[in-house]
Amino acid sequence: MQEKNLTYDGTFDGFLSAVFHVFEHKTGHVNIQNEFAAQNELFSDNETIITEESKANRVWKGLKAKLSTHGRCQLYYAFLSEQSGIENTLLDYIQYAFSRDRAVDKDYSHPSILKVAQMAKMVGREKHRMEAFVRFRLTKDHIYFANIEPDFNVLPLIQKHFKRRYADQKWVIYDIKRRYGLFYDLDKVDIVNMNFPVGFDFTKTDSDYFTEQEFEFQKLWQDYFKSTNIASRKNMKLHIRHVPKRYWKYLSEKQPN
Amino acid sequence: MSFQRTQEKLKILADAAKYDVSCSSSGSKRANINKGLGDATGMGICHSYTEDGRCVSLLKILLTNYCIFDCAYCVTRKSNDIKRAAFKVQEVVDLTINFYRRNYIEGLFLSSGIFKSADYTMERLVAVAKKLRLEENFNGYIHLKSIPGASDELMREAGLYADRLSVNIEIPTTSGLKRLAPDKKREDFIKPMVKVKNEIIQYKAEKKIIKSTPKYAPAGQSTQMIIGASGENDFQIMQTSNHFYKNFNLKRVYYSGYVPISYDDRLPKIGSDVPMLRENRLYQTDWLMRFYGFDISEILNRHHQNLDLDIDPKLSWALRNLHEFPVDINMADKRMLARIPGLGMKSVHKIINARRFRRLNWEHLKKIGVALNRAQYFIICNSNQFERRDLTSEKIKGFILQNSTSKYRKSLSNQLSLFG
Ligand code: SF4
């Protein structure tokens, strides 16, 4: 039987709308893909899904009855991994969940559930990393600005953490790879697109944009980082496992003096 | 804040503080109130890692490294010829706030040499915490060192602002302490510990009646022991540890392999190895005791006074108790599952969850993340393949070691070659 392609707009609601479509039309062999990543084969059967919040909500509510909160959370986390094909794994998981009476999210011997759990774990790890590795720098406009380049799309996941923690300072966290950011204005967090001056270097702290104090505290932090190390216990392998090199770029303590 | 002066002090006082291994910033439950700065409700984050692989979560500094005492194992000791410095209270507050705002740290870990007297020093530590809480509305994590001999009043106040308090026992045995830290009396550091313990008990009791009772050291107390400085064996160390866990309701005991810093001949020479592997084995034992339901006497006792370095303590226990095995993965209770070598608590929970759906076989176990290279000799599952040979402990150990690539193999072979 020929496989049917469903393309959606890349949002979670869009994906859930696609799931709704599958259930509604009892579509058998289906391949759900993000429109940006879509590689439509010439002769395959394509359909573009329109994101509808009401449909998405119905699927999500339905899942609530079938899964623990943790289980639903894992679905969302795994979705944010943006891994190719993850939508189909999620669909398989969801179909399995709806076909059973008992909550299935702990049934790790089912391949899709295991896969989702593993992806969710990776995304969760990235979330934690970003909560740890964000380095704010104080701009001349008195906004604490940070840029990140996470492996997965974790901004939606870290927002709550930063809002709670930095309630009394304005801040921006910008995802360079996905080109959007979060902006907290002392009241609420908004999703923002940003324009940067030509030649803006995210790895450098430029005195045109950042306060003078910023340089001092970066220096103090770098010094602190060096002083707190115990040379006779040096273990670079362990160090790199904790702080993989791809994250060093934006860590103030890892910048050359 | 004069940048250069602060910079120099920070170098000296961070360097002196680094030997304290405690870096935990979890367990506090202090939430952000009134839109202030910071929050310490979560698990505690490692914002970075030093090149020795340790978590950097707190700004860990001494208030001063002037000290009237002369503990042989400590860089800050009176007789040591080093640069001395002292922070002003406001300097520490500024550093903490500015580091915190940049998401470098979870909070402050402030310790100190004993300057003038115990109370004089403790008073200043408390002043820093008080300022952070009351003037800066700071809700991040604060860990203060309880200075041995500090008065009950100061310890009471300390707990109102700090999340965690700790006194380091440092030397596991009383005789060792006498030899290496002649100025220090065991009673002196027991005293603030007792006070803090009682305050916590009282706080918990009052809290039940009056909801608004001010928090007292919500992340509890901890302590640290230095390993390998005074010739003690693992049995002695873990007995002391057990004693403190039980009698002072400690949250954590930390074990810190002694880093040689002195030519004092009471101590290991400068240049000798830090006993990192031994430290790791002690932590494993500590976990078995706290989370895996082991009694310490099962692991260490008069006949077995030191932990094996080449295998972990759970495997070592299992090999001494082969009569308890094999365990049936699909039947065994949680307690026994936790005792199988190669199974962490996470795997145990996964197994308990997964086996409700189907009987588990080797493939399932592998996917769950069980370290089969160790576990296979101790379990049976839904498969007719299992270890049928009646292997001796030595044989099993041999097989396991052959197939493992320990991250410690290098340091292990170094340590073993001493006898070779
Ligand atoms: S009292 Fe503390 S700081 Fe002073 S020498 Fe002893 S261990 Fe070091």
Side-chain angles (χ1 to χ4, degrees), chain A residues 164-168, chain B residues 32-38 136-137 139:
Chain A
R164 195 170 46 200
R165 175 169 294 219
Y166 298 108
D168 74 339
Chain B
N32 188 312
I33 35 169
N34 302 328
K35 282 211 162 186
L37 172 65
E136 303 285 341
N137 196 4
N139 303 297

Side-chain angles (χ1 to χ4, degrees), chain B residues 62 64-78 112-114 148 170 181 183-184:
Chain B
L62 300 190
T64 176
N65 67 340
Y66 288 102
C67 191
I68 55 173
F69 282 1
D70 204 34
C71 311
Y73 48 80
C74 175
V75 268
T76 301
R77 69 189 181 280
K78 179 174 64 184
S112 186
I114 303 179
E170 304 291 21
D183 313 313
K184 263 192 187 159

Side-chain angles (χ1 to χ4, degrees), chain A residues 76-143:
Chain A
Y76 183 46
Y77 271 50
F79 174 79
L80 292 175
S81 74
E82 303 172 328
Q83 296 302 292
S84 83
I86 191 69
E87 292 90 346
N88 299 324
T89 309
L90 290 169
L91 176 65
D92 187 43
Y93 183 132
I94 292 171
Q95 285 173 325
Y96 181 59
F98 277 124
S99 73
R100 295 287 145 133
D101 294 328
R102 279 212 304 206
V104 297
D105 48 277
K106 298 251 165 69
D107 183 4
Y108 297 114
S109 43
H110 185 284
S112 290
I113 290 174
L114 189 72
K115 175 85 187 157
V116 165
Q118 284 164 344
M119 285 319 300
K121 197 171 160 194
M122 282 169 71
V123 173
R125 196 183 301 144
E126 194 68 357
K127 167 187 185 278
H128 283 299
R129 276 191 179 134
M130 288 306 127
E131 286 171 357
F133 295 163
V134 154
R135 295 287 178 265
F136 286 120
R137 296 176 287 160
L138 186 57
T139 67
K140 289 193 164 158
D141 307 326
H142 286 276
I143 294 172

Side-chain angles (χ1 to χ4, degrees), chain A:
Chain A
M1 199 182 111
Q2 185 155 39
E3 192 169 73
K4 188 175 173 90
N5 268 328
L6 300 180
T7 40
Y8 73 105
D9 63 1
T11 64
F12 192 53
D13 276 349
F15 164 70
L16 291 177
S17 303
V19 174
F20 187 90
H21 182 99
V22 173
F23 278 98
E24 195 180 33
H25 296 93
K26 308 211 165 40
T27 323
H29 233 53
V30 63
N31 176 34
I32 304 180
Q33 49 184 0
N34 185 335
E35 63 187 7
F36 301 107
Q39 295 176 338
N40 300 332
E41 272 158 49
L42 211 44
F43 299 105
S44 64
D45 181 4
N46 272 309
E47 183 157 350
T48 305
I49 297 295
I50 298 173
T51 302
E52 281 178 70
E53 217 184 298
S54 59
K55 287 183 178 170
N57 284 343
R58 273 178 63 189
V59 176
W60 198 234
K61 277 226 187 78
L63 282 170
K64 193 171 180 179
K66 287 290 182 183
L67 296 174
S68 67
T69 320
H70 177 71
R72 284 204 304 169
C73 210
Q74 287 199 317
L75 287 177
Y76 183 46
Y77 271 50
F79 174 79
L80 292 175
S81 74
E82 303 172 328
Q83 296 302 292
S84 83
I86 191 69
E87 292 90 346
N88 299 324
T89 309
L90 290 169
L91 176 65
D92 187 43
Y93 183 132
I94 292 171
Q95 285 173 325
Y96 181 59
F98 277 124
S99 73
R100 295 287 145 133
D101 294 328
R102 279 212 304 206
V104 297
D105 48 277
K106 298 251 165 69
D107 183 4
Y108 297 114
S109 43
H110 185 284
S112 290
I113 290 174
L114 189 72
K115 175 85 187 157
V116 165
Q118 284 164 344
M119 285 319 300
K121 197 171 160 194
M122 282 169 71
V123 173
R125 196 183 301 144
E126 194 68 357
K127 167 187 185 278
H128 283 299
R129 276 191 179 134
M130 288 306 127
E131 286 171 357
F133 295 163
V134 154
R135 295 287 178 265
F136 286 120
R137 296 176 287 160
L138 186 57
T139 67
K140 289 193 164 158
D141 307 326
H142 286 276
I143 294 172
Y144 284 86
F145 175 83
N147 41 256
I148 57 175
E149 230 181 311
D151 291 349
F152 310 118
N153 183 18
V154 294
L155 275 187
L157 301 178
I158 63 177
Q159 141 172 3
K160 211 167 108 202
H161 169 86
F162 283 98
K163 184 175 175 215
R164 195 170 46 200
R165 175 169 294 219
Y166 298 108
D168 74 339
Q169 69 190 44
K170 288 186 190 171
W171 52 260
V172 167
I173 303 173
Y174 185 75
D175 183 336
I176 302 173
K177 219 189 264 177
R178 295 169 189 80
R179 296 181 184 219
Y180 78 103
L182 301 174
F183 172 48
Y184 171 70
D185 63 359
L186 299 181
D187 181 35
K188 60 190 182 321
V189 179
D190 288 316
I191 289 179
V192 288
N193 294 310
M194 294 178 80
N195 294 319
F196 292 92
V198 189
F200 186 86
D201 184 347
F202 286 102
T203 63
K204 298 238 160 59
T205 301
D206 187 326
S207 58
D208 285 350
Y209 311 115
F210 293 97
T211 60
E212 216 171 288
Q213 233 199 3
E214 183 51 42
F215 291 87
E216 296 186 355
F217 282 110
Q218 279 187 29
K219 185 80 189 84
L220 289 172
W221 172 240
Q222 282 172 11
D223 287 350
Y224 174 70
F225 185 74
K226 253 180 252 146
S227 309
T228 197
N229 183 44
I230 299 178
S232 53
R233 295 181 65 120
K234 185 163 172 159
N235 184 344
M236 282 311 271
K237 226 169 105 187
L238 188 61
H239 173 67
I240 289 167
R241 195 165 76 218
H242 286 308
V243 194
K245 282 193 174 146
R246 64 181 182 284
Y247 299 103
W248 288 17
K249 254 198 295 198
Y250 308 125
L251 291 176
S252 359
E253 66 270 24
K254 286 290 184 193
Q255 300 313 305
N257 295 331

